[in-house]
Amino acid sequence: MLNLPFDKWSLKFHDPEFESSYEDHLNKIRLLSFRILNLTISIAALICLITFVIQQQTLLLSIMLTLTLMGSVTLLILSRKILTYLKSIFSLYYVWAITTNILIASAGFQIPNFIFGFNTCSLAIVTMQYSDNKLKIAYTMITPFVLMGIFDVYKVETLAFVFLTISCTIIIGIWGYMNEYTSRLAFSLNLISNKQKDLINEFVNDAMFAVSLDNRSRQFVLEFQNNRFVELMNIKETEQIKTFLRSTFILLKQNENQNKQRDRNSTKVLNLEEVLFQRIQSFEKSFNYKEQKDGLLEIYQQDLINNETKKMCLQIRFLNLGKPIIIAIIKSEQVPKLIHKYEGQIKEYQKVIISMSNQILKKQSNLYEEMKKIRFENQKEQQQILQLQCLNLSIMNYIRNYILFFQKNKITEMKLSLQNCKFHQYIAIINQYFQALSSHYSMKFALHNYVDQNSSININIKYLTQILINIFDELIRKDIKNNQINLRIIEEFQQHDNEKKQPPLETENNKQNEQPVKEFKLVQFTFFFLSDEPLNLKNLNFNKSTYKNDNNNPFEDAQIISEITHLLLDNIGPHSNISINRCQLTQMPTFQNTIQFIIYSDSSSLEPSYYKVREQILFD
């Protein structure tokens, strides 16, 4: 059983949006009731005013009725403009109705108690029904006892009426609760129905529609259709669905027992309306009257425009939702659909390969131009060769991104290809690469390594190198102030596995059995630099939902490289996020930009899912 979307005691929706939607829905009902109430009061006040003038009643009554008439007409005209205040207005109407009736009763007229009670109760029920819920409780509990006090009912001889009033008050309270509960329940079911329709339109790829049989006209009525059915058949109304049912035919083979004079293979042509009418009659007469599934039907429809016959496959289901409902799904042909899908993918991959080939050709051309500049005459030869090697490495890294893009499944398979090395030796090689590449682009690079010199790492070195190069290649194309890029490397925390308490006295046996301490660290890499204006670094912040909503080609270089960078980081770090921060320096038109990510120093101690690592106690 589904849980209620509102609290059963406070009658308030758990979701604030549902509560707001319910108030909007209730205001529409309040508006209709408000107009009917004011129109009725206006007519009654006009009739009473004419009667009082003829009877020459007191001037006070004539003034009161005139003001009531004018106020009701004015509110009737302005009803739509005060839509949001109707809840408070109905609450005031309740007080006004009770007070007015008390004043009329106290004026000395010979009004029968039945008439007074009936009029007061009628106005009270109508106005209190659409008042504020909190005021409803106060009105229900206070009003009867205040009225008994005003009319001096608290006497010994009328004590039975006091107890009767208490019982009636309880009944009114229960009635008010059930009325509000039923109203919110009906609204909740309507919300759930709309949500289900949205889900059907989003996730059901086949054309789908639902019809029911009108018992009065004995014709089918369109209950629901999804977007796919509207696109395929262009049917939105009941009259159109009737035409569809009557122009769609089914070939039924005759049963030999039913007609022995005909050939066994002879067929009978019925339109879809006749078939559904027979099926729904059988469903209504069925004993269990529960949900029933029907088999697939081959239906034929004549296309008058193209002068051809369409063959489709129809799946039918009968449901009892207060009345028999037929839900029909036109099954699409899966093979042509898959062929079309793969053809589109092949075309996209062809575009990617062509684009990648052009980029490689362009980068190779740049490399050729650099090679022509080499002169083997002075000491700069070695530096030029180093720059060319770094450029070549950049090209290889660029190609590797595309290769991994086509073979994403191998990223996880190759993550256990670990290499153990000294961290400072590895960073020295990376520093040499960044320095050479920065010099080629007339940039400056500074390394700030705060990791212990004796530290070692045991991870997939190729993945870490590719992540660093991808980020650095993105930065050297930006307009950076002073052309200065800095890289800071620190240890976030350190945990020693196999760390145990040692006894006070160390013996030689303990020294011989002592196992080497295994270090587990988180290493933080932070690129930071200055800029004169905010830089667009979204290429480093991969987000699939954002790229899907963009109008850009999803196979662009920046998006592919960004996606591969995050996939690689997800296999060597605690998470795949690259933190990008930007802040303006105080009293300066300069922005401080930081790009940060974290890796594990030892991937061999990680579980494949990483969850057990995250659950470990990191600090003692």
Side-chain angles (χ1 to χ4, degrees), residues 202-213:
E202 184 176 357
F203 295 107
V204 178
N205 296 323
D206 296 323
M208 177 180 178
F209 67 95
V211 293
S212 63
L213 185 63

Side-chain angles (χ1 to χ4, degrees), residues 43-103:
I43 296 173
L46 179 61
I47 295 173
C48 291
L49 179 60
I50 295 173
T51 304
F52 286 173
V53 170
I54 294 174
Q55 294 177 350
Q56 296 182 356
Q57 296 290 345
T58 60
L59 181 62
L60 178 61
L61 285 177
S62 299
I63 293 174
M64 288 177 57
L65 286 173
T66 302
L67 294 176
T68 301
L69 177 61
M70 294 176 60
S72 299
V73 174
T74 303
L75 291 174
L76 188 62
I77 296 172
L78 302 176
S79 58
R80 184 168 293 278
K81 295 183 178 179
I82 58 176
L83 179 64
T84 55
Y85 306 101
L86 288 180
K87 180 170 65 175
S88 302
I89 292 174
F90 268 104
S91 301
L92 293 175
Y93 257 37
Y94 178 84
V95 178
W96 168 78
I98 298 297
T99 305
T100 303
N101 280 279
I102 292 174
L103 292 176

Side-chain angles (χ1 to χ4, degrees), residues 122-243:
S122 299
L123 288 173
I125 288 176
V126 174
T127 54
M128 187 174 68
Q129 183 177 359
Y130 300 109
S131 301
D132 186 83
N133 285 337
K134 295 180 181 179
L135 292 176
K136 284 183 185 179
I137 301 174
Y139 290 161
T140 303
M141 298 178 62
I142 296 174
T143 303
F145 303 102
V146 171
L147 289 175
M148 286 192 299
I150 293 174
F151 294 104
D152 196 19
V153 182
Y154 294 107
K155 297 178 181 179
V156 177
E157 57 270 18
T158 59
L159 189 61
F161 294 102
V162 175
F163 290 112
L164 181 61
T165 302
I166 295 174
S167 302
C168 292
T169 302
I170 295 173
I171 293 174
I172 291 173
I174 295 174
W175 172 84
Y177 171 83
M178 294 303 299
N179 183 67
E180 183 69 18
Y181 180 90
T182 305
S183 177
R184 288 179 178 265
L185 182 61
F187 180 76
S188 303
L189 295 176
N190 185 51
L191 283 178
I192 293 172
S193 176
N194 291 334
K195 292 289 184 182
Q196 290 174 344
K197 291 180 180 179
D198 294 339
L199 289 174
I200 289 173
N201 281 323
E202 184 176 357
F203 295 107
V204 178
N205 296 323
D206 296 323
M208 177 180 178
F209 67 95
V211 293
S212 63
L213 185 63
D214 185 3
N215 292 324
R216 182 179 59 84
S217 62
R218 305 304 290 174
Q219 293 182 353
F220 286 103
V221 178
L222 180 63
E223 296 285 347
F224 166 75
Q225 76 282 357
N226 65 351
N227 293 337
R228 178 59 182 161
F229 182 73
V230 174
E231 295 173 359
L232 184 64
M233 298 297 176
N234 193 23
I235 295 175
K236 299 180 181 179
E237 300 175 354
T238 297
E239 293 300 324
Q240 294 174 329
I241 199 68
K242 291 179 183 178
T243 305

Side-chain angles (χ1 to χ4, degrees), residues 229-319:
F229 182 73
V230 174
E231 295 173 359
L232 184 64
M233 298 297 176
N234 193 23
I235 295 175
K236 299 180 181 179
E237 300 175 354
T238 297
E239 293 300 324
Q240 294 174 329
I241 199 68
K242 291 179 183 178
T243 305
F244 168 75
L245 295 178
R246 292 168 184 172
S247 61
T248 305
F249 299 92
I250 297 178
L251 302 179
L252 297 178
K253 291 185 178 182
Q254 293 292 330
N255 193 334
E256 182 183 5
N257 296 328
Q258 293 178 351
N259 194 345
K260 297 182 179 180
Q261 297 179 354
R262 296 188 180 183
D263 186 74
R264 297 181 182 180
N265 297 325
S266 62
T267 58
K268 182 180 179 181
V269 178
L270 294 177
N271 62 32
L272 186 57
E273 185 180 35
E274 294 174 338
V275 174
L276 294 182
F277 186 78
Q278 294 175 0
R279 301 289 176 87
I280 200 169
Q281 281 187 325
S282 175
F283 173 67
E284 290 176 344
K285 295 177 181 178
S286 61
F287 177 75
N288 51 18
Y289 204 65
K290 295 181 180 179
E291 176 182 347
Q292 292 182 1
K293 295 182 181 179
D294 206 339
L296 296 177
L297 298 176
E298 291 185 355
I299 60 177
Y300 300 87
Q301 188 180 34
Q302 183 67 27
D303 189 353
L304 299 178
I305 298 177
N306 299 323
N307 194 20
E308 61 181 11
T309 301
K310 293 182 180 178
K311 179 182 178 181
M312 295 173 287
C313 191
L314 189 71
Q315 184 176 6
I316 299 175
R317 175 172 293 186
F318 296 85
L319 297 176

